[in-house]
């Protein structure tokens, strides 16, 4: 992931491939590779890990995640940056506000660009409208330096995130049930 103050990577997460069960079919495949960090460097974080080690861990986490988990990670990132932007609004830190809101917009831009409207049908169309609305609200919050438009969409983003997580869990449960069906023993 980019560190605060750095520009967004502009699509570091590979989109979810089409043909999945549930709403993942709303996303289309793309040959994009994961590129979670644009800011190499050495330093340590609060836990004492070297920044390069931390970046390597994050890169590995992204590259090995399932497509469904990548979407969840994008939602989590958007919520995290929105929370940080709230703090920046309270501090009246204009540069930080702008950087964080741009990062959230980049996340929704990535989600928007990975939608497969043919296979996703109505779900993809509804997600497209939501993502465009989110981006307009974030832009308004950034231009006016007013947190209200961002705060209006934050609960919607949280609902999307939680719904996505529930769908993932349900899909995993369905896959486990299918794998646990008794097999016929034909070697009698």
């Amino acid at each position: 992931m980019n560190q605060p103050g750095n520009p967004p990577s502009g699509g570091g997460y590979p989109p979810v491939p089409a043909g999945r069960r549930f709403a993942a079919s709303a996303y289309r495949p793309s040959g994009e590779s994961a590129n979670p960090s644009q800011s190499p460097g050495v330093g340590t974080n609060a836990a004492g890990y070297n920044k390069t080690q931390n970046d390597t861990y994050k890169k590995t986490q992204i590259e090995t995640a399932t497509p469904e988990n990548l979407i969840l990670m994008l939602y989590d990132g958007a919520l995290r940056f929105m929370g940080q932007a709230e703090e920046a609004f309270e501090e009246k830190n204009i540069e930080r506000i702008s950087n964080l809101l741009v990062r959230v917009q980049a996340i929704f831009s990535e989600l928007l660009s990975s939608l497969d409207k043919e296979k996703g049908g109505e779900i993809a169309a509804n997600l497209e409208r939501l993502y465009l609305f989110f981006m307009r609200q974030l832009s308004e919050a950034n231009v006016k330096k007013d947190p209200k438009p961002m705060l209006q969409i934050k609960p919607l983003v949280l609902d999307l995130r939680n719904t996505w997580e529930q769908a993932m869990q349900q899909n995993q449960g369905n896959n486990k049930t299918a794998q646990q069906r008794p097999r016929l023993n034909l070697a009698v």
Side-chain angles (χ1 to χ4, degrees):
M1 292 286 191
N2 293 319
Q3 297 299 316
N6 290 339
S9 63
Y13 297 98
V16 174
R20 295 284 187 173
R21 297 170 57 110
F22 62 92
S25 65
Y27 295 93
R28 70 175 141 74
S30 170
E32 296 177 21
S33 63
N35 187 11
S37 176
Q38 296 292 325
S39 56
V42 177
T44 56
N45 64 13
Y49 291 103
N50 182 304
K51 181 173 177 353
T52 304
Q53 291 171 327
N54 196 27
D55 288 348
T56 302
Y57 171 76
K58 288 178 184 177
K59 181 178 180 183
T60 301
Q61 189 178 23
I62 290 166
E63 289 175 346
T64 59
T66 64
E68 293 85 1
N69 278 331
L70 290 174
I71 298 295
L72 188 64
M73 291 167 73
L74 287 170
Y75 285 137
D76 286 341
L79 289 165
R80 184 176 62 252
F81 295 142
M82 290 170 78
Q84 292 172 0
E86 278 185 72
E87 293 172 6
F89 275 112
E90 291 171 8
E91 298 165 359
K92 299 188 184 336
N93 186 335
I94 303 302
E95 182 179 354
R96 188 164 180 244
I97 291 167
S98 181
N99 288 337
L100 290 164
L101 292 179
V102 166
R103 291 177 83 174
V104 179
Q105 285 177 295
I107 288 172
F108 287 113
S109 179
E110 179 64 25
L111 287 167
L112 182 64
S113 71
S114 65
L115 289 173
D116 185 340
K117 295 174 200 151
E118 286 181 29
K119 290 188 178 179
E122 187 178 344
I123 292 171
N126 289 338
L127 286 170
E128 178 183 40
R129 285 192 292 274
L130 269 175
Y131 296 158
L132 289 171
F133 172 70
F134 293 165
M135 291 170 67
R136 281 191 305 270
Q137 292 294 99
L138 292 163
S139 180
E140 182 179 336
N142 201 359
V143 169
K144 294 182 178 179
K145 299 302 181 236
D146 179 6
K148 289 178 188 166
M150 180 194 70
L151 295 173
Q152 289 174 343
I153 67 167
K154 192 173 179 185
L156 301 173
V157 176
L158 182 59
D159 284 347
L160 270 177
R161 183 247 180 251
N162 291 339
T163 300
W164 185 260
E165 184 178 42
Q166 288 174 354
M168 285 174 49
Q169 290 171 353
Q170 185 176 23
N171 189 48
Q172 288 171 353
N174 290 341
N175 288 340
K176 286 180 184 176
T177 302
Q179 293 171 356
Q180 293 174 354
R181 289 187 183 142
R183 296 180 155 205
L184 294 175
N185 186 355
L186 300 176
V188 181

